[in-house]
Amino acid sequence: EFVERAKGGESTLQIAEKLITNEIIPFAGGAMEIEPGLLAGFDNYEVKGFKSGAVFMPMIGSIAFVGYVFELEAGADANAFVNELTANANPRWNICVAAEETVTAVEGNLVFFCMSPLTFEG
């Protein structure tokens, strides 16, 4: 779904708002714009180097899920950006639970980065 939305020319926030409503995500969540700096899931690593970004996550913090959509400047090395995110991500950012997988995707200058459980079954 990320790739389809990325090709549609939507903003990072619009993409995040659509992704959080995907039927495979069984919790109430929200999306909001973000700025470079300290972000959920990255401890003391400051995420920088993006033009715009949005986060989508559960309203309740006991679910190990956080997703991001980043727009990079034209010509930026998106794969290097993903590698930095992956190297500095902490799947245990949420004290109670840990994310079990990280999923990334790149489409042009847009980057999708998500940490989540393998399944949402309780």
Side-chain angles (χ1 to χ4, degrees), residues 10-63:
E10 296 177 329
S11 72
T12 55
L13 181 59
Q14 289 170 318
I15 294 169
E17 288 172 336
K18 296 287 172 59
L19 291 172
I20 197 66
T21 64
N22 188 309
E23 64 186 29
I24 66 170
I25 299 175
F27 54 76
M32 66 182 189
E33 292 180 327
I34 55 170
E35 295 184 6
L38 299 174
L39 301 177
F42 296 98
D43 294 339
N44 292 323
Y45 174 73
E46 290 192 37
V47 180
K48 303 180 213 175
F50 59 94
K51 180 178 172 182
S52 68
V55 61
F56 57 104
M57 58 197 315
M59 296 290 190
I60 298 173
S62 62
I63 300 169

